[in-house]
Amino acid sequence: MDRSPRPRPLPHDAAAPRLAALAALLADETRASFCLALLDGRAWTAGEPARYASVAPSTASEHLGRLVAGGLLTEERQGRHRYVRLTDERIAHLVECLVAHAAPEAPERPRSLRAASVSSALARGRTCYDHLAGRLGIRITEAMTARGLLRQDTGFALTEAGLDWFGALGIPLDRSAGRPLARGCLDWTERRPHLAGAAGAALCAHVLRSGWCERFGSGRAVRATPSGLRALSELLGVEPASLDGRVQGPSSDAGPAVD
């Protein structure tokens, strides 16, 4: 008879049910698609996610309700209209990191020409909630690091020169929201961190407000305008060819359709 002591049962971890519930929310492809679309940082009407994912409005409403109840999305109402958005930057960071870890090492072949255009545009430049991502975000982050404005050796941190740089450009840094001033966010297309946090959000808002970058398609994809290319070259030494291999045309150019 085996008299060896039986292993003691592990204590129950109270976080396990919450983790399982979160995983279940993102385990559905439609809900995952909604979260990815909302990484543009804007509020969407309830009907827009349905059209984006090509599902019936009733189906979209059910999925949105589950995401709101689970805390991934927040809901706002204005009159008869219902809007949804990602709850905050922490949720955006979670989604972006999960995509980075889930993305295959070798990119999958796009299923259509339109899908290829969308994928290419998002890889060149996009918003990740409220900061810049893709090749555009990475090149800016690398340039700031090379010029001593940003440190990455012990985590992301603006240097004194970096703080002065933001001040000289008239970019206010909001330190009252309880979020880190600078934080690295793993870029799922470049597999390297781009600048996030309050500084990343402030810089993104500035380049869009100043017309250095513009949204196109449904709005998550962004590209540098001619004036933006000049500004990035003069201020940070970012070469236009390093962003997408060619200088962008006039801003009136519609570019590829992006959802």
Side-chain angles (χ1 to χ4, degrees):
M1 180 181 296
D2 183 9
R3 298 182 179 275
S4 59
R6 295 182 179 180
R8 294 182 180 180
L10 295 174
H12 177 69
D13 192 327
R18 297 196 298 273
L19 179 60
L22 174 62
L25 279 176
L26 293 172
D28 180 89
E29 187 171 340
T30 298
R31 292 195 292 274
S33 178
F34 289 173
C35 290
L36 287 171
L38 289 166
L39 279 174
D40 67 359
R42 297 181 295 174
W44 287 37
T45 65
E48 287 173 325
R51 292 190 292 272
Y52 177 85
S54 300
V55 297
S58 58
T59 300
S61 181
E62 178 183 350
H63 285 304
L64 291 173
R66 292 190 61 178
L67 290 169
V68 170
L72 296 184
L73 303 187
T74 186
E75 183 181 70
E76 303 171 6
R77 291 187 179 273
Q78 294 183 8
R80 295 184 303 170
H81 297 287
R82 176 193 182 197
Y83 295 88
V84 291
R85 65 166 70 241
L86 291 179
T87 298
D88 52 32
E89 190 209 14
R90 294 180 305 109
I91 300 301
H93 180 54
L94 170 67
V95 173
E96 187 83 2
C97 285
L98 287 174
V99 174
H101 287 292
E105 290 296 331
E108 296 178 355
R109 183 184 298 274
R111 299 178 182 178
S112 66
L113 179 60
R114 180 178 178 82
S117 296
V118 171
S119 177
S120 177
L122 292 176
R124 286 197 301 271
R126 63 185 182 277
T127 52
C128 174
Y129 191 59
D130 60 0
H131 53 270
L132 295 171
R135 196 171 304 130
L136 175 64
I138 290 294
R139 295 294 179 269
I140 290 175
T141 300
E142 289 176 339
M144 292 181 67
T145 304
R147 295 202 166 204
L149 308 178
L150 179 70
R151 293 187 59 180
Q152 298 189 42
D153 52 346
T154 56
F156 271 51
L158 288 182
T159 63
E160 288 297 325
L163 293 171
D164 292 342
W165 185 80
F166 274 87
L169 290 174
I171 305 177
L173 295 173
D174 183 8
R175 309 191 193 201
S176 63
R179 66 192 297 189
L181 183 59
R183 178 179 61 74
C185 181
L186 182 61
D187 195 291
W188 64 268
T189 52
E190 294 291 314
R191 301 300 181 91
R192 284 172 288 174
H194 54 247
L195 176 63
L203 182 59
C204 180
H206 180 76
V207 300
L208 290 172
R209 185 172 57 248
S210 301
W212 294 356
C213 290
E214 62 184 0
R215 297 182 184 272
F216 65 105
S218 65
R220 191 182 175 201
V222 297
R223 59 187 171 194
T225 62
S227 63
L229 291 172
R230 288 192 296 270
L232 292 175
S233 178
E234 293 170 2
L235 293 171
L236 293 171
V238 176
E239 294 300 327
S242 72
L243 297 178
D244 63 358
R246 63 182 179 86
V247 177
Q248 295 285 355
S251 60
S252 59
D253 178 15
V258 176
D259 287 329

